Amino acid sequence: MSTVSGASTPSQVERFVVLAAAVLESTPMEIVTTRSAFRAHLDAVRSDRRTVGLVPTMGALHEGHLSLARAAAAECDVVALTIFVNPLQFGAGEDLDAYPRPLERDLELAASVEVDVVFTPSVDEMYPGLQLTSVHVDGLTATMEGANRPSHFDGVATVVTKLFNLAGPCRAYFGEKDFQQLAVVRRMAIDLDQPVTVVGCPIVREPDGLALSSRNVYLTPAQRSAAAVVNRALREGAASIGAGERDRATIEAHMAAVVAAEPLAELDYAMVVDPVTLVAPDRLEPGSEVRLCTVVRFGTTRLLDNLGVGVA
Ligand code: PAF
């Protein structure tokens, strides 16, 4: 049994001021803060025979999120973007309170990519009272991020289920950067017959290869330059597969050695996994696909990245 709190959620008054400012700037974008208004809005869209593209986010929008909204706009009549920093997916000692919440800027960015409706509920609106139910996806959540952050994926699966239930039949767009999250949400939608088509979208990167992330703002300038090593390790892992290496442990050790050569970086893991089951094969089979996944720490900031590789 748990209740959910969110100490640094903006007050209703602050939220109203920000939302009103956005509306006064005469964007046609609609901003809703209640579950009932969000559900009613998208029900009305569908009764007009228009399709819905859902983009769930925790805000602090960057080009990666905007690419999801653009993909949704290309394939759906109406784009619904959600902004909600979900307390359930943060563990004790993680950055829930410090997580960036630049709501005004987020609304401007959402309007710039022609999002039609933004759903930005408070924690109390999303989790009124006791929260007795949670969604657990087995197996896929036992490895990688799940092994490091035990309740994280239950929090993600629970809030995404709530968002899917509120949004109704739609296509939902998730970034491949959180590759394990994408695999978990895909499996959940299949297993629970959720009326949602889950769409994975490519990672957006800085010129030096760093994957865009809302947490990149935590990096010091020195850590930011060193952070290029994350993607470099993956590319070197892929190059060793291209050169004929088929032993999984050898490829992982190769990626780990690349990270170890960067003094500001500390490796959490570098793994080669099956892209659907997330199981690590002993040897890579010809004709198979694998995903190279890594997490590297720079101080207290953990950076995730991954790369798909076809095995010849
Ligand atoms: O990827 C995220 O931003 C979050 O995990 C999500 C999917 C919006 C659920 O809170």
Side-chain angles (χ1 to χ4, degrees):
M1 182 185 305
S2 63
T3 53
V4 183
S5 68
S8 61
T9 302
S11 72
Q12 292 295 342
V13 174
E14 285 167 326
R15 294 170 71 76
F16 178 77
V17 170
V18 169
L19 302 183
V23 171
L24 284 175
E25 274 168 29
S26 77
T27 161
M29 186 173 78
E30 187 123 356
I31 299 154
V32 296
T33 58
T34 64
R35 288 166 293 148
S36 56
F38 186 52
R39 191 195 290 270
H41 188 98
L42 296 185
D43 282 349
V45 167
R46 275 184 301 269
S47 50
D48 272 357
R49 297 184 170 277
R50 290 184 298 157
T51 56
V52 175
L54 179 71
V55 182
T57 82
M58 296 205 300
L61 302 182
H62 52 64
E63 192 51 40
H65 300 109
L66 302 187
S67 74
L68 303 182
R70 287 194 198 97
E75 295 177 348
C76 308
D77 298 321
V78 166
V79 179
L81 182 134
T82 70
I83 298 176
F84 178 64
V85 182
N86 173 36
L88 288 187
Q89 68 190 75
F90 289 76
E94 292 185 12
D95 58 344
L96 173 60
D97 289 342
Y99 199 85
R101 290 167 171 84
L103 184 57
E104 191 167 2
R105 185 170 175 275
D106 283 350
L107 293 174
E108 281 165 13
L109 286 173
S112 76
V113 288
E114 288 165 31
V115 166
D116 297 282
V117 55
V118 173
F119 175 46
T120 172
S122 66
V123 173
D124 288 345
E125 172 63 24
M126 208 54 187
Y127 299 113
L130 293 179
Q131 177 74 17
L132 298 177
T133 305
S134 83
V135 179
H136 175 72
V137 178
D138 221 354
L140 297 179
T141 57
T143 181
M144 298 195 290
E145 287 308 277
N148 284 278
R149 305 171 70 191
S151 59
H152 173 68
F153 286 115
D154 290 358
V156 171
T158 302
V159 81
V160 172
T161 294
K162 283 171 72 80
L163 293 171
F164 284 1
N165 286 341
L166 294 169
C170 63
R171 292 170 71 80
Y173 295 80
F174 293 84
E176 286 185 348
K177 190 184 78 68
D178 295 306
F179 191 76
Q180 188 173 13
Q181 168 173 281
L182 176 60
V184 166
V185 169
R186 272 206 171 109
R187 188 72 244 168
M188 176 185 82
I190 292 168
D191 289 353
L192 298 182
D193 294 316
Q194 290 168 332
V196 176
T197 302
V198 175
V199 183
C201 298
I203 298 174
V204 180
R205 299 182 179 282
E206 300 279 8
D208 68 354
L210 179 66
L212 296 195
S213 162
S214 304
R215 291 187 166 108
N216 291 353
V217 296
Y218 298 152
L219 298 171
T220 65
Q223 289 170 337
R224 170 61 193 86
S225 339
V229 74
V230 183
N231 187 243
R232 196 163 65 242
L234 295 175
R235 283 188 281 112
E236 295 211 12
S240 74
I241 297 171
E245 184 57 65
R246 296 291 176 265
D247 180 61
R248 193 243 317 147
T250 305
I251 300 159
E252 290 177 351
H254 186 60
M255 293 190 287
V258 174
V259 175
E262 169 48 65
L264 294 183
E266 198 186 325
L267 184 71
D268 257 18
Y269 58 79
M271 291 180 66
V272 183
V273 298
D274 177 281
V276 176
T277 63
L278 306 185
V279 169
D282 285 343
R283 289 193 65 77
L284 278 53
E285 292 301 323
S288 68
E289 289 275 328
V290 289
R291 203 85 189 179
L292 312 187
C293 298
T294 191
V295 173
V296 181
R297 279 179 202 272
F298 294 84
T300 54
T301 306
R302 298 173 79 242
L303 299 184
L304 286 72
D305 201 355
N306 64 84
L307 189 63
V309 183
V311 184

